[in-house]
Amino acid sequence: MATLNSKIPEGDISQKWTNYKAHQRLVNPANKRKLDVIVVGTGLAGASASASLAEMGFNVKAFCYQDSPRRAHSIAAQGGINAAKNYQNDGDSVYRLFYDTIKGGDYRAREANVHRLAEVSNSIIDQCVAQGVPFAREYGGLLDNRSFGGAQVSRTFYARGQTGQQLLLGAYSALMRQVNKKKVTLFTRHEMLNLVMVDGKARGIIARDMVTGKLTRHFAHAVVIASGGYGNAFFLSTNAMGSNGSAAWQIYKKGAYFANPAYVQIHPTCIPVHGSFQSKLTLMSESLRNDGRIWVPRKKEDAEAIRAGKLKPTQLAEEDRDYYLERRYPAFGNLVPRDVASRAAKERCDAGYGVGSGLAVYLDFADAINRLGKDVVEARYGNLFQMYEKIVDDNPYETPMMIYPAIHYTMGGIWVDYELMTTIPGLYAIGEANFSDHGANRLGASALMQGLADGYFVLPYTIQNYLSDEILTPRMTTKEKEFEEAENEITGKIDKLMNINGKMSVDSFHKKFGLQLWDFVGMARNKEGLEKALASFKELKESFWKDIKIPGKKDELNPELEKAGRVADFIEIGELMAKDALMREESCGGHFREEHQTEEGEAKRNDKDFMFVGAWEYKGEGQEPALHKEVLEYENIQVAQRNYKK
């Protein structure tokens, strides 16, 4: 088993990042002009990193599969971004944000990284305000904050229900400024399909022009992966349909370790599945839990009558409603962390108290409307209510919303050290693509925080430590044999896919696989189900490579070919997720093994045997991956069973 060097600086946790910056190696302005960096992905992490590195003087090539960086999935984030500004004077601090994030992740995150995240969070807000991000403001003009799950303070900055969009527009404007200055070369409608390594270092990528189908070679002194998570493996998720895990999976196959793949986040407030022809799910912002109350009927016969259409929720008396989160978790109520709220909804529905199709609970704003008035509720959540009504054709001002948990985010990802470098020299992973900051569960409004922290305030420092040794490395022509071999590898894979010419569509495979992944590796897992999943995934993989049919040609615009490559990767990612979940004989955060729960149905950790990051190393096609462990040590926080009841 290899020793994972996380490169955590010495010293007190509050001084680690300061000390690191004080002693890191730098690249002088003249030498920065000689160095090229590739950034794959232009969401919040990728766009902010590209803009920052270019502003510093590096030459950047930025790649995205969309027609514009503005279409990155970061745009879909609704509720807000966390920072420890303590504008509400309610007791917040950098330490409390650090503590809440570690606790929210069920003590499975690296302390040093999380503290750094909390430290730089305040700078993110200053940066974004300077860019013109229209954060909500109080009457006096100060920035407003609201509460989110897993915290007892108000630290979430927001722009109505469009926070991700506004933050992305800020990062996009910074990026396009550098494109205009010719410090960033932007490649839209390009998908990374392979990593090029020369002498053990990351030296470039092979990308496919998605319009012409042509494969292109690109050199860089360092490569940054900012391609998001792998939640779309489940087919139905809150992710954009194009979101995929392929860039991360390709670098895993080149030697980058994949950490904690079983840690996926279920978001508790999503619009429930409404049919077999549905292509994705829609998230309803966690911010709604500030004023909305979650409940199910107290009596099974009432739930049955509602499901049969014989009773409306508004006809149910207050005493006949079970506000189960407020009942089970009085200290946090409806603002418990996402994994806790999700499992509680599943438990009520499994017990027969669900509404709608049986897999839904109510999110009710009647109390808030009576207390605050409809105008105030509309000002806070109006666009979210409009979105719900357009999708469900029901007025949430008059009838409670129906919600149910769905796959949303992946805490697992490429293993990185404190510098955000993978196990491959010169290869970095930032944002949701890495594993680093959230442990086994992410608190709401922390995804935007991590993406921008990595891109604006962490990577621009840490990448210099590596690039300072690369100033004498000349640019390569991309005619070298390593580039040719990497391109031939992809050409072979594409030809193999195109030549199968079976009878099954890509989507039919993805749906079948995604449903099995949800059933066996979803909100709850057990040994029998995980073993069944592994056997089933192996059969599906064999069937995929025999029965898939891809219409069209490879050298043209071909969305089915794009999807086929991604689904092939998703099936393999799903296998690794199941292996990781089977290995981890405990429940923690979003990973809930039914064999390991308290008498009250809460997650039961095994700190003695599993307080580590599980990092998997690819060993070759058909070979079992090797598990490496990064032991987690907590020196600044007392590890305890999570308690949101008092």
Side-chain angles (χ1 to χ4, degrees):
M1 184 184 297
T3 301
L4 290 170
N5 180 11
S6 54
K7 299 182 188 172
I8 298 172
E10 296 293 323
D12 183 82
I13 195 160
S14 64
Q15 296 301 311
K16 286 182 187 296
W17 181 230
T18 302
N19 291 340
Y20 177 90
K21 290 187 291 182
H23 297 97
Q24 67 164 109
R25 288 173 294 171
L26 300 173
V27 181
N28 81 41
N31 284 332
K32 285 173 183 166
R33 294 193 291 271
K34 303 174 185 176
L35 295 168
D36 303 336
V37 180
I38 283 173
V39 179
V40 179
T42 57
L44 283 180
S48 59
S50 296
S52 299
L53 292 170
E55 183 77 43
M56 294 164 72
F58 296 107
N59 306 298
V60 178
K61 286 184 174 182
F63 292 79
C64 68
Y65 67 78
Q66 301 94 340
D67 61 352
S68 166
R70 288 175 299 166
R71 295 192 190 276
H73 187 58
S74 300
I75 203 170
Q78 298 168 351
I81 177 170
N82 288 329
K85 286 285 196 182
N86 194 31
Y87 283 167
Q88 304 297 315
N89 197 28
D90 54 2
D92 202 7
S93 64
V94 166
Y95 181 85
R96 189 171 290 276
L97 175 53
F98 159 65
Y99 171 81
D100 286 345
T101 305
I102 291 282
K103 179 183 175 183
D106 218 354
Y107 305 94
R108 290 293 178 266
R110 188 191 288 154
E111 265 194 347
N113 285 59
V114 178
H115 197 279
R116 176 176 64 189
L117 177 66
E119 283 181 69
V120 305
S121 67
N122 292 340
S123 298
I124 296 170
I125 304 303
D126 297 339
Q127 168 93 359
C128 293
V129 169
Q131 289 175 335
V133 172
F135 286 122
R137 293 179 182 266
E138 293 183 328
Y139 180 76
L142 298 176
L143 297 185
D144 195 14
N145 290 120
R146 56 189 178 197
S147 303
F148 256 58
Q152 290 180 309
V153 296
S154 295
R155 64 163 67 102
T156 304
F157 295 78
Y158 64 99
R160 295 190 77 192
Q162 306 166 345
T163 314
Q165 180 184 33
Q166 299 303 328
L167 292 171
L168 186 62
L169 288 173
Y172 169 75
S173 61
L175 170 63
M176 295 310 291
R177 178 172 179 267
Q178 297 303 321
V179 171
N180 187 56
K181 291 175 68 177
K182 302 204 168 25
K183 291 302 294 180
V184 173
T185 306
L186 181 61
F187 293 85
T188 59
R189 304 292 285 149
H190 278 69
E191 182 170 21
M192 172 191 164
L193 295 180
N194 211 351
L195 176 73
V196 180
M197 292 174 60
V198 179
D199 296 330
K201 294 181 177 182
R203 287 299 187 208
I205 66 169
I206 305 298
R208 179 176 181 269
D209 183 325
M210 295 163 65
V211 177
T212 66
K214 182 183 177 184
L215 296 179
T216 56
R217 306 174 184 182
H218 303 272
F219 162 79
H221 293 90
V223 177
V224 181
I225 303 299
S227 54
Y230 48 93
N232 261 359
F234 290 83
F235 187 74
L236 285 181
S237 81
T238 66
N239 289 267
M241 290 184 68
S243 297
N244 64 86
S246 289
W249 198 244
Q250 298 319 313
I251 66 172
Y252 164 70
K253 288 191 165 183
K254 284 290 189 289
Y257 293 1
F258 206 113
N260 300 335
Y263 290 166
V264 295
Q265 178 159 80
I266 320 289
H267 198 294
T269 53
C270 297
I271 296 177
V273 176
H274 63 253
S276 58
F277 293 100
Q278 198 167 349
S279 57
K280 76 177 297 292
L281 297 172
T282 303
L283 169 71
M284 298 307 295
S285 170
E286 183 172 312
S287 63
L288 294 168
R289 291 199 273 150
N290 269 291
D291 290 308
R293 300 178 71 193
I294 296 172
W295 64 274
V296 292
R298 197 175 289 277
K299 302 171 189 171
K300 276 189 183 176
E301 52 265 35
D302 287 340
E304 290 165 1
I306 287 174
R307 290 199 294 268
K310 297 175 182 176
L311 185 67
K312 293 182 178 179
T314 50
Q315 295 174 319
L316 219 57
E318 189 73 10
E319 60 269 19
D320 293 325
R321 303 178 179 195
D322 178 16
Y323 296 94
Y324 57 89
L325 290 178
E326 297 171 32
R327 169 173 57 81
R328 288 180 63 174
Y329 309 102
F332 283 74
N334 294 296
L335 286 171
V336 291
R338 292 174 174 179
D339 60 316
V340 177
S342 295
R343 280 196 298 275
K346 181 180 187 295
E347 183 276 327
R348 286 291 80 193
C349 292
D350 289 351
Y353 295 91
V355 296
S357 66
L359 294 177
V361 300
Y362 287 126
L363 178 60
D364 195 337
F365 282 83
D367 272 8
I369 290 170
N370 290 335
R371 174 169 48 88
L372 302 168
K374 182 182 175 182
D375 290 350
V376 174
V377 172
E378 190 172 4
R380 290 179 180 175
Y381 312 111
N383 61 315
L384 298 171
F385 279 44
Q386 286 174 351
M387 184 169 69
Y388 180 88
E389 187 167 4
K390 282 182 179 179
I391 294 170
V392 180
D393 194 23
D394 204 359
N395 185 346
Y397 292 105
E398 298 171 2
T399 308
M401 290 182 181
M402 283 196 294
I403 56 166
Y404 193 69
I407 290 291
H408 178 55
Y409 184 91
T410 53
M411 285 79 64
I414 297 299
W415 185 90
V416 293
D417 60 25
Y418 188 76
E419 296 184 328
L420 306 182
M421 192 191 287
T422 70
T423 43
I424 295 174
L427 179 65
Y428 295 78
I430 61 175
E432 191 181 356
N434 74 30
F435 88 103
S436 70
D437 292 359
H438 306 297
N441 173 64
R442 177 175 68 76
L443 291 183
S446 287
L448 306 184
M449 176 173 63
Q450 187 213 341
L452 291 180
D454 286 356
Y456 281 139
F457 297 109
V458 180
L459 183 73
Y461 286 97
T462 63
I463 200 170
Q464 291 189 77
N465 238 12
Y466 174 79
L467 290 176
S468 61
D469 285 336
E470 297 297 316
I471 55 177
L472 297 179
T473 302
R475 292 189 174 99
M476 297 181 183
T477 63
T478 72
K479 293 179 181 178
E480 291 78 4
K481 65 178 175 56
E482 290 87 352
F483 282 87
E484 185 177 348
E485 288 167 358
E487 183 178 325
N488 290 340
E489 191 180 332
I490 293 305
T491 301
K493 182 179 179 181
I494 290 173
D495 287 343
K496 186 177 179 181
L497 283 167
M498 295 300 298
N499 291 334
I500 294 169
N501 203 28
K503 296 180 180 178
M504 303 291 289
S505 70
V506 176
D507 275 352
S508 66
F509 266 102
H510 197 180
K511 284 181 181 180
K512 187 175 181 181
F513 167 71
L515 187 60
Q516 290 184 13
L517 193 64
W518 174 251
D519 286 344
F520 299 126
V521 200
M523 248 193 293
R525 299 103 181 246
N526 58 55
K527 186 173 187 286
E528 181 185 359
L530 291 166
E531 289 174 342
K532 189 174 179 180
L534 284 167
S536 178
F537 296 166
K538 187 176 181 182
E539 291 176 11
L540 262 176
K541 183 177 176 181
E542 291 173 0
S543 178
F544 177 91
W545 287 97
K546 286 190 299 186
D547 302 331
I548 203 79
K549 181 175 181 64
I550 303 171
K553 301 175 183 177
K554 69 175 185 178
D555 53 352
E556 64 182 10
L557 178 67
N558 192 335
E560 289 302 303
L561 175 58
E562 296 159 21
K563 285 194 290 185
R566 295 166 189 171
V567 173
D569 294 335
F570 278 144
I571 294 173
E572 294 182 356
I573 292 170
E575 282 187 286
L576 193 64
M577 290 167 65
K579 284 183 193 295
D580 191 50
L582 189 60
M583 172 276 295
R584 195 166 279 279
E585 290 276 1
E586 65 166 351
S587 290
C588 57
H591 167 66
F592 190 74
R593 282 285 296 269
E594 291 174 341
E595 304 94 326
H596 304 287
Q597 55 182 301
T598 66
E599 291 180 5
E600 296 174 317
E602 306 294 348
K604 189 176 182 181
R605 294 197 321 267
N606 177 353
D607 292 337
K608 177 175 172 288
D609 299 317
F610 291 96
M611 193 175 276
F612 62 78
V613 174
W616 296 88
E617 179 189 7
Y618 181 68
K619 286 294 188 179
E621 184 67 34
Q623 305 296 311
E624 283 293 308
L627 174 65
H628 304 280
K629 299 177 182 179
E630 179 195 344
V631 177
L632 294 169
E633 297 178 1
Y634 292 96
E635 300 172 352
N636 300 275
I637 283 179
Q638 184 177 352
V639 177
Q641 192 67 34
R642 282 194 305 174
N643 184 351
Y644 293 100
K645 297 181 179 182
K646 59 184 179 180

